[in-house]
Coordinates of all heavy atoms in Angstrom, one line a residue:
M1 N 0.8 -1.2 0.0 CA 0.0 0.0 0.0 C 0.9 1.2 0.0 O 2.0 1.2 0.4 CB -0.9 0.0 1.2 CG -0.4 0.4 2.5 SD -1.5 0.3 3.8 CE -2.1 -1.4 3.6
T2 N 0.4 2.3 -0.5 CA 1.1 3.6 -0.5 C 0.9 4.4 0.7 O -0.1 4.2 1.4 CB 0.8 4.4 -1.8 OG1 -0.6 4.8 -1.7 CG2 1.0 3.6 -3.0
E3 N 1.7 5.4 0.9 CA 1.6 6.3 2.1 C 0.2 7.0 2.0 O -0.4 7.2 3.1 CB 2.7 7.4 2.1 CG 4.0 6.8 2.4 CD 5.1 7.9 2.3 OE1 5.3 8.7 3.2 OE2 5.7 8.0 1.2
S4 N -0.2 7.5 0.9 CA -1.4 8.2 0.7 C -2.6 7.4 1.2 O -3.5 7.9 1.8 CB -1.6 8.7 -0.7 OG -0.4 9.2 -1.2
T5 N -2.6 6.2 0.8 CA -3.7 5.3 1.2 C -3.8 5.1 2.7 O -4.9 5.1 3.2 CB -3.5 3.9 0.6 OG1 -3.4 4.0 -0.8 CG2 -4.7 3.0 0.9
L6 N -2.7 5.1 3.3 CA -2.7 4.9 4.8 C -3.4 6.1 5.5 O -4.1 5.8 6.5 CB -1.3 4.8 5.3 CG -0.5 3.5 5.1 CD1 0.9 3.7 5.5 CD2 -1.2 2.4 5.9
L7 N -3.3 7.3 5.0 CA -3.8 8.4 5.7 C -5.2 8.8 5.4 O -5.8 9.7 6.0 CB -2.9 9.6 5.5 CG -1.5 9.5 6.2 CD1 -0.7 10.7 5.9 CD2 -1.7 9.2 7.7
M8 N -5.8 8.1 4.4 CA -7.2 8.4 4.1 C -8.1 8.3 5.3 O -9.0 9.1 5.5 CB -7.7 7.5 3.0 CG -7.1 7.8 1.6 SD -7.6 6.5 0.5 CE -7.7 7.4 -1.0
N9 N -8.0 7.2 6.0 CA -8.8 7.0 7.2 C -7.9 6.2 8.2 O -8.0 5.0 8.3 CB -10.1 6.2 6.9 CG -11.0 6.1 8.1 OD1 -10.6 6.5 9.2 ND2 -12.2 5.7 7.8
A10 N -6.9 6.9 8.8 CA -5.8 6.3 9.5 C -6.2 5.3 10.5 O -5.7 4.2 10.6 CB -4.9 7.4 10.0
E11 N -7.1 5.7 11.4 CA -7.5 4.8 12.5 C -8.1 3.5 12.0 O -7.8 2.4 12.5 CB -8.4 5.5 13.5 CG -7.7 6.7 14.2 CD -6.4 6.3 14.9 OE1 -6.4 5.3 15.6 OE2 -5.5 7.1 14.8
E12 N -9.0 3.6 11.1 CA -9.6 2.4 10.5 C -8.6 1.5 9.8 O -8.6 0.3 9.8 CB -10.8 2.7 9.6 CG -12.0 3.3 10.3 CD -12.6 2.3 11.2 OE1 -12.7 1.1 10.9 OE2 -12.9 2.7 12.4
M13 N -7.6 2.2 9.1 CA -6.6 1.5 8.4 C -5.7 0.7 9.3 O -5.3 -0.4 9.1 CB -5.8 2.5 7.5 CG -4.8 1.8 6.6 SD -5.5 0.7 5.4 CE -6.2 1.9 4.3
I14 N -5.3 1.4 10.4 CA -4.5 0.7 11.5 C -5.2 -0.5 12.0 O -4.6 -1.6 12.1 CB -4.1 1.7 12.6 CG1 -3.2 2.8 12.0 CG2 -3.5 1.0 13.8 CD1 -2.9 3.9 13.0
K15 N -6.5 -0.4 12.3 CA -7.2 -1.6 12.8 C -7.2 -2.7 11.7 O -7.0 -3.9 12.1 CB -8.7 -1.2 13.1 CG -8.8 -0.4 14.3 CD -10.3 0.0 14.5 CE -10.5 1.0 15.6 NZ -11.9 1.5 15.7
A16 N -7.4 -2.4 10.5 CA -7.4 -3.4 9.4 C -6.1 -4.0 9.3 O -6.0 -5.2 9.1 CB -7.9 -2.7 8.1
L17 N -5.0 -3.2 9.3 CA -3.7 -3.8 9.2 C -3.3 -4.7 10.4 O -2.7 -5.8 10.2 CB -2.6 -2.7 9.1 CG -2.7 -1.8 7.9 CD1 -1.7 -0.7 8.0 CD2 -2.5 -2.6 6.6
H18 N -3.7 -4.4 11.6 CA -3.5 -5.3 12.7 C -4.2 -6.6 12.5 O -3.7 -7.7 12.8 CB -4.0 -4.6 14.0 CG -3.0 -3.7 14.6 ND1 -1.8 -4.1 15.2 CD2 -2.9 -2.4 14.7 CE1 -1.1 -3.1 15.6 NE2 -1.8 -2.0 15.3
L19 N -5.4 -6.6 11.9 CA -6.2 -7.8 11.6 C -5.4 -8.6 10.6 O -5.3 -9.9 10.7 CB -7.6 -7.5 11.2 CG -8.5 -8.6 10.9 CD1 -8.7 -9.5 12.1 CD2 -9.9 -8.1 10.3
L20 N -4.9 -8.0 9.6 CA -4.2 -8.7 8.5 C -2.9 -9.4 9.1 O -2.6 -10.5 8.8 CB -3.8 -7.8 7.4 CG -4.9 -7.3 6.5 CD1 -4.4 -6.2 5.6 CD2 -5.6 -8.5 5.8
K21 N -2.3 -8.7 10.0 CA -1.1 -9.2 10.7 C -1.4 -10.5 11.5 O -0.6 -11.4 11.6 CB -0.4 -8.2 11.6 CG 0.3 -7.1 10.9 CD 1.5 -7.5 10.1 CE 2.6 -7.9 11.1 NZ 3.8 -8.3 10.4
K22 N -2.6 -10.5 12.1 CA -3.0 -11.7 12.9 C -3.1 -12.9 12.0 O -2.9 -14.0 12.5 CB -4.4 -11.4 13.6 CG -4.3 -10.6 14.8 CD -5.7 -10.5 15.4 CE -5.7 -9.6 16.6 NZ -7.0 -9.5 17.3
Y23 N -3.4 -12.7 10.7 CA -3.5 -13.8 9.8 C -2.1 -14.1 9.1 O -2.1 -14.9 8.2 CB -4.5 -13.5 8.7 CG -5.9 -13.6 9.2 CD1 -6.7 -12.4 9.5 CD2 -6.5 -14.8 9.6 CE1 -7.9 -12.5 10.0 CE2 -7.8 -14.8 10.1 CZ -8.5 -13.7 10.2 OH -9.8 -13.7 10.8
G24 N -1.1 -13.5 9.6 CA 0.3 -13.8 9.1 C 0.6 -13.1 7.8 O 1.6 -13.5 7.2
I25 N -0.1 -12.0 7.5 CA 0.2 -11.3 6.2 C 1.2 -10.2 6.5 O 1.1 -9.5 7.4 CB -1.1 -10.7 5.7 CG1 -2.1 -11.8 5.3 CG2 -0.8 -9.8 4.5 CD1 -3.4 -11.4 4.9
S26 N 2.3 -10.2 5.7 CA 3.3 -9.2 5.7 C 2.8 -7.9 5.1 O 2.2 -8.0 4.0 CB 4.6 -9.6 5.1 OG 5.1 -10.7 5.8
I27 N 3.2 -6.8 5.6 CA 2.7 -5.5 5.1 C 3.8 -4.6 4.8 O 4.7 -4.4 5.6 CB 1.7 -4.8 6.1 CG1 0.6 -5.8 6.4 CG2 1.2 -3.5 5.6 CD1 -0.2 -5.4 7.6
S28 N 3.8 -4.0 3.6 CA 4.8 -3.1 3.1 C 4.2 -1.7 2.7 O 3.1 -1.7 2.2 CB 5.6 -3.6 1.9 OG 6.2 -4.8 2.2
I29 N 4.9 -0.7 3.0 CA 4.5 0.6 2.4 C 5.3 0.9 1.2 O 6.5 0.9 1.1 CB 4.8 1.8 3.4 CG1 4.0 1.6 4.7 CG2 4.4 3.1 2.8 CD1 4.2 2.6 5.8
D30 N 4.5 1.0 0.1 CA 5.1 1.2 -1.3 C 5.4 2.6 -1.5 O 4.7 3.5 -1.0 CB 4.1 0.6 -2.3 CG 4.7 0.3 -3.6 OD1 6.0 0.1 -3.7 OD2 4.0 0.4 -4.6
D31 N 6.4 2.9 -2.4 CA 6.8 4.3 -2.8 C 7.0 5.2 -1.6 O 6.7 6.4 -1.6 CB 5.7 4.9 -3.7 CG 5.6 4.2 -5.0 OD1 6.6 3.6 -5.5 OD2 4.5 4.3 -5.7
F32 N 7.7 4.6 -0.6 CA 7.9 5.4 0.6 C 8.8 6.6 0.3 O 9.7 6.5 -0.4 CB 8.6 4.6 1.7 CG 8.7 5.4 3.0 CD1 7.5 5.4 3.8 CD2 9.8 6.0 3.4 CE1 7.6 6.2 5.0 CE2 9.9 6.7 4.6 CZ 8.8 6.8 5.4
G33 N 8.4 7.8 0.8 CA 9.1 9.0 0.6 C 8.5 9.9 -0.4 O 8.9 11.1 -0.5
T34 N 7.4 9.5 -1.1 CA 6.8 10.3 -2.1 C 5.4 10.8 -1.6 O 4.9 11.7 -2.3 CB 6.6 9.6 -3.4 OG1 5.8 8.4 -3.2 CG2 8.0 9.2 -4.0
G35 N 4.9 10.3 -0.6 CA 3.6 10.7 -0.1 C 3.6 11.8 0.9 O 4.7 12.4 1.2
Y36 N 2.5 11.9 1.6 CA 2.4 13.0 2.6 C 2.1 12.5 4.0 O 1.5 13.1 4.8 CB 1.3 14.0 2.2 CG 1.5 14.6 0.9 CD1 0.8 14.1 -0.3 CD2 2.4 15.6 0.7 CE1 1.1 14.7 -1.5 CE2 2.7 16.2 -0.5 CZ 2.0 15.7 -1.6 OH 2.2 16.3 -2.8
S37 N 2.6 11.3 4.3 CA 2.3 10.7 5.6 C 3.1 11.3 6.7 O 4.1 11.9 6.5 CB 2.5 9.2 5.6 OG 3.9 8.9 5.5
S38 N 2.6 11.2 7.9 CA 3.2 11.7 9.0 C 4.2 10.5 9.6 O 3.7 9.4 9.7 CB 2.2 12.0 10.1 OG 2.8 12.3 11.3
L39 N 5.4 10.9 9.9 CA 6.3 9.9 10.4 C 5.9 9.4 11.7 O 6.2 8.2 12.1 CB 7.7 10.5 10.5 CG 8.4 10.8 9.2 CD1 9.7 11.5 9.5 CD2 8.6 9.6 8.3
S40 N 5.0 10.1 12.4 CA 4.5 9.6 13.7 C 3.7 8.3 13.6 O 3.6 7.6 14.5 CB 3.7 10.7 14.4 OG 2.6 11.0 13.7
Y41 N 3.1 8.1 12.4 CA 2.3 6.9 12.2 C 3.2 5.6 12.0 O 2.7 4.5 12.3 CB 1.4 7.0 11.0 CG 0.1 7.7 11.3 CD1 -0.1 9.0 10.9 CD2 -0.9 7.1 12.0 CE1 -1.3 9.7 11.2 CE2 -2.1 7.7 12.3 CZ -2.3 9.0 11.9 OH -3.4 9.6 12.2
L42 N 4.4 5.8 11.6 CA 5.3 4.6 11.4 C 5.4 3.8 12.6 O 5.4 2.5 12.5 CB 6.6 5.0 10.9 CG 6.7 5.5 9.4 CD1 8.1 5.8 9.1 CD2 6.2 4.4 8.5
G43 N 5.5 4.3 13.8 CA 5.6 3.6 15.0 C 4.3 2.9 15.4 O 4.3 1.9 16.1
K44 N 3.2 3.3 14.9 CA 1.8 2.7 15.2 C 1.4 1.7 14.2 O 0.6 0.8 14.5 CB 0.8 3.8 15.2 CG 1.0 4.9 16.3 CD -0.1 6.0 16.1 CE 0.2 7.1 17.1 NZ -0.8 8.1 17.0
L45 N 2.0 1.7 13.0 CA 1.6 0.8 12.0 C 2.2 -0.6 12.1 O 3.5 -0.6 12.3 CB 1.9 1.4 10.6 CG 1.2 2.6 10.2 CD1 1.8 3.2 9.0 CD2 -0.3 2.4 10.0
P46 N 1.5 -1.6 11.9 CA 2.1 -3.0 12.0 C 2.7 -3.4 10.7 O 2.3 -4.3 10.0 CB 0.9 -3.9 12.4 CG -0.3 -3.2 11.7 CD 0.0 -1.7 11.8
I47 N 3.7 -2.6 10.2 CA 4.3 -2.9 8.9 C 5.6 -3.7 9.1 O 6.2 -3.7 10.2 CB 4.5 -1.6 8.1 CG1 5.4 -0.6 8.9 CG2 3.2 -0.9 7.8 CD1 5.8 0.6 8.2
D48 N 6.0 -4.3 8.0 CA 7.2 -5.1 8.0 C 8.3 -4.5 7.1 O 9.5 -4.8 7.3 CB 6.9 -6.5 7.4 CG 5.8 -7.2 8.3 OD1 6.1 -7.6 9.4 OD2 4.7 -7.4 7.7
C49 N 7.9 -3.7 6.2 CA 8.9 -3.2 5.2 C 8.5 -1.9 4.6 O 7.3 -1.6 4.4 CB 8.9 -4.3 4.0 SG 10.0 -3.9 2.7
L50 N 9.6 -1.1 4.3 CA 9.4 0.2 3.6 C 10.0 0.0 2.2 O 11.1 -0.5 2.1 CB 10.1 1.3 4.3 CG 9.6 1.7 5.6 CD1 10.4 2.9 6.2 CD2 8.1 2.1 5.5
K51 N 9.3 0.3 1.2 CA 9.9 0.3 -0.2 C 10.2 1.7 -0.6 O 9.3 2.5 -0.8 CB 8.8 -0.4 -1.1 CG 8.6 -1.8 -0.9 CD 7.6 -2.3 -2.0 CE 7.4 -3.8 -1.8 NZ 6.5 -4.3 -2.9
I52 N 11.5 1.9 -0.9 CA 11.9 3.2 -1.3 C 11.5 3.4 -2.8 O 11.7 2.6 -3.6 CB 13.5 3.3 -1.2 CG1 13.9 3.1 0.2 CG2 13.9 4.7 -1.7 CD1 15.4 3.0 0.3
S53 N 10.9 4.6 -3.0 CA 10.4 4.9 -4.3 C 11.5 4.8 -5.4 O 12.6 5.3 -5.2 CB 9.8 6.3 -4.4 OG 9.4 6.7 -5.7
R54 N 11.2 4.3 -6.5 CA 12.1 4.2 -7.7 C 12.6 5.6 -8.0 O 13.7 5.8 -8.5 CB 11.4 3.6 -8.9 CG 12.2 3.5 -10.1 CD 11.4 3.0 -11.3 NE 10.6 1.8 -10.9 CZ 11.0 0.6 -11.3 NH1 12.1 0.4 -12.0 NH2 10.3 -0.5 -10.9
S55 N 11.8 6.7 -7.8 CA 12.3 8.0 -8.1 C 13.5 8.5 -7.4 O 14.3 9.3 -7.9 CB 11.1 9.0 -7.9 OG 10.8 9.1 -6.5
F56 N 13.8 7.9 -6.3 CA 15.0 8.2 -5.5 C 16.2 7.3 -5.9 O 17.3 7.6 -5.6 CB 14.8 8.0 -4.0 CG 13.8 8.9 -3.4 CD1 12.7 8.4 -2.7 CD2 13.9 10.3 -3.6 CE1 11.7 9.2 -2.2 CE2 12.9 11.1 -3.0 CZ 11.8 10.6 -2.4
I57 N 15.9 6.2 -6.7 CA 17.0 5.3 -7.0 C 17.4 5.4 -8.5 O 18.6 5.2 -8.8 CB 16.4 3.8 -6.8 CG1 16.0 3.7 -5.3 CG2 17.5 2.8 -7.2 CD1 17.0 3.9 -4.3
Q58 N 16.5 5.7 -9.4 CA 16.7 5.6 -10.8 C 18.0 6.3 -11.4 O 18.7 5.8 -12.2 CB 15.5 5.9 -11.7 CG 15.1 7.4 -11.5 CD 13.7 7.6 -12.1 OE1 13.1 6.6 -12.6 NE2 13.3 8.8 -12.1
D59 N 18.3 7.5 -10.9 CA 19.5 8.2 -11.4 C 20.5 8.4 -10.3 O 21.2 9.4 -10.3 CB 19.0 9.6 -12.0 CG 18.1 9.4 -13.2 OD1 18.3 8.5 -14.0 OD2 17.1 10.2 -13.3
I60 N 20.6 7.5 -9.4 CA 21.4 7.7 -8.2 C 22.9 7.9 -8.6 O 23.7 8.6 -7.9 CB 21.2 6.6 -7.2 CG1 21.5 7.1 -5.8 CG2 21.9 5.3 -7.5 CD1 20.9 6.3 -4.7
R61 N 23.3 7.2 -9.6 CA 24.8 7.3 -10.0 C 25.1 8.7 -10.6 O 26.2 9.2 -10.4 CB 25.1 6.3 -11.1 CG 25.2 4.9 -10.5 CD 25.6 3.9 -11.5 NE 26.7 3.1 -11.0 CZ 27.1 2.0 -11.6 NH1 26.7 1.7 -12.8 NH2 28.0 1.3 -11.1
E62 N 24.1 9.4 -11.2 CA 24.3 10.7 -11.8 C 24.0 11.8 -10.8 O 24.6 12.9 -10.9 CB 23.5 10.9 -13.1 CG 23.9 10.0 -14.2 CD 23.4 8.6 -14.1 OE1 22.3 8.3 -13.6 OE2 24.1 7.7 -14.6
D63 N 23.1 11.6 -9.9 CA 22.7 12.6 -9.0 C 22.7 12.1 -7.6 O 21.8 11.4 -7.1 CB 21.2 13.1 -9.3 CG 20.7 14.2 -8.5 OD1 21.5 14.7 -7.6 OD2 19.6 14.6 -8.6
Y64 N 23.8 12.3 -6.9 CA 24.0 11.8 -5.6 C 23.1 12.4 -4.5 O 23.0 11.9 -3.4 CB 25.5 11.9 -5.1 CG 26.3 10.9 -5.9 CD1 27.2 11.3 -6.9 CD2 26.3 9.6 -5.6 CE1 28.0 10.5 -7.6 CE2 27.1 8.7 -6.3 CZ 27.9 9.1 -7.3 OH 28.6 8.2 -8.0
S65 N 22.4 13.5 -4.8 CA 21.5 14.1 -3.8 C 20.4 13.1 -3.4 O 20.0 13.1 -2.3 CB 20.9 15.4 -4.3 OG 20.1 15.2 -5.4
N66 N 20.0 12.3 -4.4 CA 19.0 11.3 -4.1 C 19.5 10.2 -3.2 O 18.7 9.5 -2.5 CB 18.4 10.7 -5.3 CG 17.4 11.6 -6.0 OD1 16.8 12.5 -5.4 ND2 17.1 11.3 -7.3
S67 N 20.8 10.0 -3.2 CA 21.4 8.9 -2.4 C 21.2 9.3 -0.9 O 21.0 8.4 0.0 CB 22.8 8.6 -2.7 OG 23.6 9.7 -2.4
E68 N 21.2 10.6 -0.6 CA 21.1 11.0 0.8 C 19.7 10.7 1.3 O 19.5 10.3 2.5 CB 21.4 12.5 1.0 CG 22.9 12.7 0.7 CD 23.2 14.2 0.6 OE1 22.3 15.0 0.7 OE2 24.4 14.5 0.5
I69 N 18.7 10.9 0.4 CA 17.3 10.6 0.8 C 17.1 9.1 1.0 O 16.6 8.6 2.0 CB 16.3 11.1 -0.3 CG1 16.4 12.6 -0.3 CG2 14.9 10.6 0.0 CD1 15.6 13.2 -1.5
A70 N 17.7 8.3 0.1 CA 17.6 6.9 0.2 C 18.3 6.4 1.5 O 17.8 5.5 2.2 CB 18.2 6.2 -1.0
Q71 N 19.4 6.9 1.8 CA 20.2 6.6 3.0 C 19.4 6.9 4.3 O 19.3 6.2 5.2 CB 21.5 7.3 3.1 CG 22.4 6.9 4.3 CD 22.6 5.3 4.4 OE1 23.0 4.7 3.4 NE2 22.3 4.8 5.5
A72 N 18.7 8.1 4.3 CA 17.8 8.4 5.4 C 16.7 7.4 5.6 O 16.4 7.1 6.7 CB 17.3 9.8 5.2
I73 N 16.1 7.0 4.5 CA 15.0 6.0 4.6 C 15.5 4.7 5.1 O 14.9 4.0 5.9 CB 14.3 5.9 3.3 CG1 13.6 7.2 2.9 CG2 13.2 4.7 3.3 CD1 13.0 7.2 1.5
I74 N 16.7 4.3 4.6 CA 17.3 3.1 5.1 C 17.6 3.1 6.6 O 17.3 2.2 7.4 CB 18.6 2.8 4.3 CG1 18.3 2.4 2.9 CG2 19.4 1.6 5.0 CD1 19.5 2.4 1.9
S75 N 18.2 4.3 7.1 CA 18.5 4.4 8.5 C 17.2 4.4 9.3 O 17.2 3.8 10.4 CB 19.2 5.8 8.7 OG 20.4 5.7 8.1
L76 N 16.1 5.0 8.8 CA 14.9 5.0 9.5 C 14.3 3.6 9.6 O 13.9 3.2 10.7 CB 13.9 5.9 8.8 CG 12.4 6.0 9.3 CD1 12.4 6.6 10.7 CD2 11.6 6.8 8.4
S77 N 14.4 2.9 8.5 CA 13.9 1.5 8.5 C 14.7 0.6 9.5 O 14.1 -0.1 10.3 CB 14.1 0.9 7.1 OG 13.3 1.5 6.2
Q78 N 16.0 0.8 9.5 CA 16.8 0.0 10.5 C 16.5 0.4 11.9 O 16.4 -0.5 12.8 CB 18.3 0.3 10.2 CG 18.8 -0.3 8.9 CD 20.2 0.1 8.5 OE1 20.7 1.1 8.9 NE2 20.8 -0.8 7.7
S79 N 16.3 1.6 12.2 CA 16.0 2.0 13.6 C 14.6 1.5 14.1 O 14.4 1.2 15.2 CB 16.1 3.5 13.8 OG 15.0 4.2 13.1
L80 N 13.7 1.3 13.1 CA 12.4 0.8 13.4 C 12.3 -0.8 13.2 O 11.3 -1.4 13.4 CB 11.3 1.4 12.5 CG 11.1 2.9 12.8 CD1 10.2 3.5 11.7 CD2 10.5 3.2 14.2
K81 N 13.5 -1.3 12.9 CA 13.6 -2.8 12.7 C 12.7 -3.3 11.6 O 12.0 -4.3 11.7 CB 13.4 -3.6 14.0 CG 14.5 -3.2 15.0 CD 14.3 -3.9 16.3 CE 15.3 -3.6 17.3 NZ 16.0 -2.4 17.4
L82 N 12.7 -2.5 10.5 CA 11.9 -2.9 9.3 C 12.8 -3.3 8.2 O 13.9 -2.8 8.1 CB 11.0 -1.7 8.9 CG 10.0 -1.1 9.9 CD1 9.5 0.2 9.3 CD2 9.0 -2.1 10.2
Q83 N 12.3 -4.1 7.3 CA 13.0 -4.4 6.1 C 12.9 -3.2 5.2 O 12.0 -2.4 5.3 CB 12.4 -5.6 5.4 CG 12.5 -6.9 6.2 CD 11.7 -8.0 5.5 OE1 11.2 -7.9 4.4 NE2 11.7 -9.2 6.1
V84 N 13.8 -3.1 4.3 CA 13.8 -2.0 3.3 C 14.1 -2.6 1.9 O 15.0 -3.4 1.8 CB 14.7 -0.8 3.7 CG1 16.1 -1.3 3.7 CG2 14.5 0.4 2.8
I85 N 13.4 -2.1 0.9 CA 13.6 -2.5 -0.5 C 13.7 -1.2 -1.3 O 12.9 -0.3 -1.1 CB 12.4 -3.4 -1.0 CG1 12.3 -4.7 -0.2 CG2 12.6 -3.6 -2.5 CD1 11.1 -5.5 -0.5
A86 N 14.7 -1.2 -2.2 CA 14.8 -0.1 -3.1 C 14.3 -0.5 -4.4 O 14.8 -1.4 -5.1 CB 16.3 0.3 -3.2
E87 N 13.2 0.1 -4.9 CA 12.5 -0.3 -6.1 C 13.4 0.1 -7.3 O 14.0 1.2 -7.3 CB 11.2 0.4 -6.3 CG 10.2 -0.1 -5.3 CD 8.8 0.7 -5.4 OE1 8.8 1.6 -6.2 OE2 7.9 0.2 -4.8
G88 N 13.5 -0.8 -8.3 CA 14.2 -0.4 -9.5 C 15.8 -0.7 -9.5 O 16.4 -0.3 -10.4
V89 N 16.3 -1.3 -8.4 CA 17.7 -1.6 -8.4 C 18.0 -2.8 -9.3 O 17.4 -3.8 -9.1 CB 18.2 -1.8 -6.9 CG1 19.6 -2.3 -6.9 CG2 18.0 -0.6 -6.1
K90 N 18.9 -2.6 -10.2 CA 19.2 -3.7 -11.1 C 20.7 -4.1 -11.1 O 21.1 -5.0 -11.6 CB 18.9 -3.2 -12.6 CG 17.4 -3.0 -12.7 CD 17.0 -2.6 -14.1 CE 15.5 -2.4 -14.2 NZ 15.1 -1.5 -15.2
E91 N 21.5 -3.3 -10.4 CA 22.9 -3.5 -10.3 C 23.3 -3.4 -8.8 O 22.8 -2.7 -8.1 CB 23.7 -2.5 -11.1 CG 23.4 -2.5 -12.6 CD 24.2 -1.4 -13.3 OE1 25.2 -0.9 -12.8 OE2 23.7 -1.0 -14.4
E92 N 24.4 -4.2 -8.5 CA 24.9 -4.1 -7.1 C 26.0 -3.0 -7.1 O 26.8 -2.9 -8.0 CB 25.6 -5.4 -6.7 CG 26.0 -5.4 -5.3 CD 26.5 -6.8 -4.9 OE1 26.0 -7.8 -5.4 OE2 27.4 -6.9 -4.0
Y93 N 25.9 -2.1 -6.2 CA 26.9 -1.0 -6.1 C 27.9 -1.2 -5.0 O 27.7 -1.8 -4.0 CB 26.2 0.4 -5.9 CG 25.3 0.7 -7.0 CD1 23.9 0.5 -7.0 CD2 25.8 1.3 -8.1 CE1 23.1 0.9 -8.0 CE2 25.0 1.7 -9.2 CZ 23.7 1.5 -9.1 OH 22.9 1.8 -10.2

């Protein structure tokens, strides 16, 4: 799910996500970093993974400013003990 979807009806969405987790379903936030979500919700959400938006990855070799954003999301994920996936990565750096 995307960040935008989470905030449409945040309290109801949190309840629904907790129910899905009870059934063993893993939950990821897609395109993280491109929406308007509040970081305060990350601690409340029963999520397993943040997916870094492809927009921060696609030209990372040419524009290193995006690497700082990606690194910040990785650090945030690690501190919250979440998995992190960078969309669109095709080569190992």
